[in-house]
Amino acid sequence: MTEKWSTEELEASVVAYLDMHIKDSRNEHFVKKSYYSGLSEKFGRTEKSYEYRMQNISYVFSLMGRQWVSGLKPAKNVGSNNAEIIERLICKVEGKSYTGVAGFETQVNTLKNKKILDRPAGLVEPTISIGQATQYSRDPKVKAWVLRESQGLCESCNSPAPFTTAAGEPFLEVHHLKRLADKGSDRVSNAVALCPNCHRELHYGQSNSDKIDALYAKISRLIRE
Ligand SMILES: [Zn+2]
Ligand SMILES: [Zn+2]
């Protein structure tokens, strides 16, 4: 059993991951191994254990609904404590507000797979936590144009919108292929209209990168950023 990871070591791993993430999202060349060897020199663990830790960070990214670094498949056995610490570090390094989704979802997954899970009493009066979510400015014309272009059909699976909104419009969600959080643009060349299933899958699915590639191949207005 190796020694417990210090916050300093976790933070250095998160910083390395976010650096790879930026390069990956810009399609810049980078060598993962050199990040691991740098960490290994500094903190004395094997390169392999840093690679595995990066996959844990990918898992936290996936819980946050974000695109993980390609080639670093999410590895889910990260305890809820570490998941929470990693998410806090990601938010701190990126200067964003912490929402606490990763710690919560890790607990859900762990509990869900327990042999015995008694029916919980729950919370009669959940307390309010007032957070400021990070918001990006958006151009309503972009959303309108993409929705109109879709003609009420999901641009990924081609199914009709699942329902009609109160305003009488087909309900589809507009997703930015390169996320705004990853400095993607709010332009029609980066946005697609999706049914809720496809939209959730693009955020949380195991094979979402295949679906993303298929969208770029199929829709000519899209440009990789
Ligand atoms: Zn769909
Ligand atoms: Zn989205």
Side-chain angles (χ1 to χ4, degrees):
M1 215 24 220
T2 36
E3 223 181 293
K4 204 174 160 285
W5 290 60
S6 67
T7 310
E8 194 197 354
E9 191 177 6
L10 274 177
E11 178 157 0
S13 306
V14 166
V15 167
Y17 187 94
L18 291 174
D19 201 66
M20 289 193 278
H21 176 68
I22 289 170
K23 294 198 166 113
D24 192 37
S25 65
R26 290 183 189 148
N27 291 312
E28 276 172 32
H29 174 76
F30 64 100
V31 182
K32 295 190 183 82
K33 202 177 174 308
S34 63
Y35 286 90
Y36 310 151
S37 64
L39 289 164
S40 174
E41 267 164 42
K42 189 156 184 215
F43 298 101
R45 248 176 259 267
T46 61
E47 290 178 17
K48 194 79 204 153
S49 59
Y50 291 103
E51 179 182 40
Y52 195 67
R53 187 51 94 187
M54 296 302 161
Q55 291 183 262
N56 285 153
I57 300 175
S58 282
Y59 179 61
V60 172
F61 251 61
S62 76
L63 295 175
M64 294 167 81
R66 295 183 59 179
Q67 195 64 44
W68 59 82
V69 175
S70 46
L72 287 174
K73 195 172 175 288
K76 69 172 183 182
N77 59 337
V78 44
S80 57
N81 263 342
N82 274 341
E84 189 186 319
I85 293 167
I86 291 169
E87 186 184 2
R88 280 189 192 280
L89 288 170
I90 292 169
C91 296
K92 180 181 148 196
V93 175
E94 291 189 326
K96 290 178 184 146
S97 43
Y98 169 76
T99 52
V101 67
F104 181 85
E105 293 301 334
T106 317
Q107 287 188 57
V108 171
N109 283 341
T110 309
L111 291 164
K112 190 164 162 277
N113 294 310
K114 271 182 112 172
K115 239 191 208 110
I116 298 163
L117 179 62
D118 293 327
R119 182 189 160 115
L123 304 168
V124 178
E125 284 183 57
T127 51
I128 302 174
S129 68
I130 298 170
Q132 330 96 297
T134 308
Q135 298 243 6
Y136 296 89
S137 56
R138 303 260 311 263
D139 182 350
K141 288 195 213 94
V142 169
K143 184 169 177 178
W145 192 93
V146 170
L147 286 174
R148 191 192 290 199
E149 184 75 6
S150 73
Q151 298 184 52
L153 304 178
C154 170
E155 292 187 297
S156 182
C157 71
N158 302 317
S159 306
F163 59 89
T164 302
T165 66
E169 297 287 338
F171 182 84
L172 290 173
E173 298 171 341
V174 172
H175 171 75
H176 294 85
L177 286 171
K178 181 165 177 182
R179 313 289 173 75
L180 301 180
D182 297 335
K183 303 211 164 22
S185 73
D186 183 34
R187 291 181 291 185
V188 301
S189 54
N190 188 41
V192 282
L194 301 171
C195 72
N197 282 353
C198 287
H199 190 199
R200 292 290 101 180
E201 188 179 352
L202 281 197
H203 280 268
Y204 301 103
Q206 201 162 44
S207 345
N208 56 9
S209 57
D210 297 345
K211 263 187 107 118
I212 292 168
D213 290 344
L215 282 163
Y216 280 116
K218 182 170 111 178
I219 304 168
S220 60
R221 73 165 188 276
L222 297 176
I223 301 165
R224 280 188 196 268
E225 293 183 2

Short mmCIF file of all heavy atoms in Angstrom, two decimals, residues 153-160 172 193-199 201 211, ligand 1:
data_model
loop_
_atom_site.label_atom_id
_atom_site.label_comp_id
_atom_site.label_asym_id
_atom_site.label_seq_id
_atom_site.Cartn_x
_atom_site.Cartn_y
_atom_site.Cartn_z
N LEU A 153 -35.51 18.21 -35.46
CA LEU A 153 -34.94 16.86 -35.35
C LEU A 153 -33.57 16.94 -34.67
O LEU A 153 -32.79 17.85 -34.95
CB LEU A 153 -34.75 16.23 -36.74
CG LEU A 153 -35.98 16.14 -37.65
CD1 LEU A 153 -35.58 15.53 -38.99
CD2 LEU A 153 -37.06 15.29 -36.99
N CYS A 154 -33.31 15.96 -33.82
CA CYS A 154 -31.99 15.89 -33.16
C CYS A 154 -30.92 15.74 -34.24
O CYS A 154 -31.02 14.87 -35.10
CB CYS A 154 -31.96 14.71 -32.19
SG CYS A 154 -30.30 14.38 -31.54
N GLU A 155 -29.90 16.58 -34.18
CA GLU A 155 -28.86 16.51 -35.21
C GLU A 155 -27.92 15.32 -35.01
O GLU A 155 -27.11 15.04 -35.87
CB GLU A 155 -28.08 17.83 -35.26
CG GLU A 155 -28.94 18.98 -35.78
CD GLU A 155 -28.16 20.27 -35.99
OE1 GLU A 155 -27.64 20.81 -34.99
OE2 GLU A 155 -28.08 20.73 -37.14
N SER A 156 -28.05 14.64 -33.88
CA SER A 156 -27.22 13.44 -33.69
C SER A 156 -27.98 12.18 -34.11
O SER A 156 -27.54 11.46 -34.99
CB SER A 156 -26.79 13.34 -32.23
OG SER A 156 -25.96 12.22 -32.02
N CYS A 157 -29.14 11.92 -33.51
CA CYS A 157 -29.85 10.65 -33.81
C CYS A 157 -31.01 10.82 -34.79
O CYS A 157 -31.66 9.84 -35.14
CB CYS A 157 -30.35 10.02 -32.51
SG CYS A 157 -31.72 10.90 -31.75
N ASN A 158 -31.27 12.06 -35.21
CA ASN A 158 -32.33 12.37 -36.18
C ASN A 158 -33.75 12.14 -35.67
O ASN A 158 -34.71 12.24 -36.43
CB ASN A 158 -32.17 11.58 -37.50
CG ASN A 158 -30.83 11.85 -38.15
OD1 ASN A 158 -30.40 13.01 -38.21
ND2 ASN A 158 -30.17 10.81 -38.61
N SER A 159 -33.90 11.82 -34.39
CA SER A 159 -35.25 11.65 -33.86
C SER A 159 -35.93 13.00 -33.70
O SER A 159 -35.26 14.01 -33.47
CB SER A 159 -35.22 11.01 -32.47
OG SER A 159 -34.48 9.84 -32.51
N PRO A 160 -37.26 13.02 -33.83
CA PRO A 160 -37.97 14.28 -33.59
C PRO A 160 -37.85 14.70 -32.13
O PRO A 160 -37.67 13.84 -31.25
CB PRO A 160 -39.42 13.96 -33.95
CG PRO A 160 -39.49 12.52 -34.23
CD PRO A 160 -38.13 11.92 -34.22
N LEU A 172 -35.62 20.98 -28.17
CA LEU A 172 -34.27 20.44 -28.39
C LEU A 172 -33.31 21.31 -27.59
O LEU A 172 -33.63 22.46 -27.28
CB LEU A 172 -33.89 20.46 -29.87
CG LEU A 172 -34.63 19.48 -30.79
CD1 LEU A 172 -34.27 19.75 -32.25
CD2 LEU A 172 -34.33 18.02 -30.44
N ALA A 193 -28.07 21.14 -32.28
CA ALA A 193 -29.35 20.95 -31.59
C ALA A 193 -29.52 19.46 -31.34
O ALA A 193 -29.40 18.65 -32.26
CB ALA A 193 -30.48 21.48 -32.47
N LEU A 194 -29.78 19.11 -30.08
CA LEU A 194 -29.82 17.69 -29.71
C LEU A 194 -31.07 17.37 -28.90
O LEU A 194 -31.60 18.22 -28.18
CB LEU A 194 -28.61 17.34 -28.83
CG LEU A 194 -27.22 17.56 -29.43
CD1 LEU A 194 -26.15 17.36 -28.36
CD2 LEU A 194 -26.97 16.61 -30.60
N CYS A 195 -31.50 16.11 -29.00
CA CYS A 195 -32.55 15.64 -28.09
C CYS A 195 -31.88 15.48 -26.71
O CYS A 195 -30.66 15.34 -26.62
CB CYS A 195 -33.16 14.35 -28.59
SG CYS A 195 -32.10 12.90 -28.43
N PRO A 196 -32.67 15.50 -25.63
CA PRO A 196 -32.08 15.42 -24.29
C PRO A 196 -31.21 14.16 -24.09
O PRO A 196 -30.17 14.23 -23.44
CB PRO A 196 -33.28 15.42 -23.35
CG PRO A 196 -34.36 16.09 -24.12
CD PRO A 196 -34.13 15.74 -25.57
N ASN A 197 -31.61 13.04 -24.68
CA ASN A 197 -30.80 11.82 -24.50
C ASN A 197 -29.42 11.97 -25.10
O ASN A 197 -28.41 11.66 -24.47
CB ASN A 197 -31.48 10.61 -25.17
CG ASN A 197 -32.61 10.06 -24.33
OD1 ASN A 197 -32.80 10.49 -23.19
ND2 ASN A 197 -33.34 9.12 -24.87
N CYS A 198 -29.40 12.43 -26.36
CA CYS A 198 -28.09 12.60 -27.01
C CYS A 198 -27.27 13.66 -26.27
O CYS A 198 -26.06 13.52 -26.12
CB CYS A 198 -28.26 12.98 -28.47
SG CYS A 198 -28.84 11.59 -29.46
N HIS A 199 -27.95 14.72 -25.81
CA HIS A 199 -27.22 15.78 -25.12
C HIS A 199 -26.56 15.24 -23.84
O HIS A 199 -25.38 15.44 -23.60
CB HIS A 199 -28.18 16.93 -24.79
CG HIS A 199 -27.46 18.14 -24.29
ND1 HIS A 199 -28.08 19.13 -23.59
CD2 HIS A 199 -26.16 18.51 -24.36
CE1 HIS A 199 -27.19 20.06 -23.27
NE2 HIS A 199 -26.01 19.71 -23.73
N GLU A 201 -25.81 12.18 -23.23
CA GLU A 201 -24.76 11.23 -23.59
C GLU A 201 -23.46 11.94 -23.97
O GLU A 201 -22.37 11.50 -23.61
CB GLU A 201 -25.20 10.31 -24.73
CG GLU A 201 -24.18 9.20 -24.94
CD GLU A 201 -24.52 8.20 -26.02
OE1 GLU A 201 -25.65 8.25 -26.56
OE2 GLU A 201 -23.64 7.38 -26.33
N LYS A 211 -19.50 9.77 -30.86
CA LYS A 211 -20.68 10.54 -31.26
C LYS A 211 -20.28 11.93 -31.74
O LYS A 211 -20.86 12.47 -32.68
CB LYS A 211 -21.64 10.68 -30.05
CG LYS A 211 -22.75 9.66 -30.07
CD LYS A 211 -23.76 9.93 -28.97
CE LYS A 211 -25.05 10.47 -29.52
NZ LYS A 211 -26.22 9.66 -29.29
ZN ZN B 1 -30.75 12.46 -30.33
#
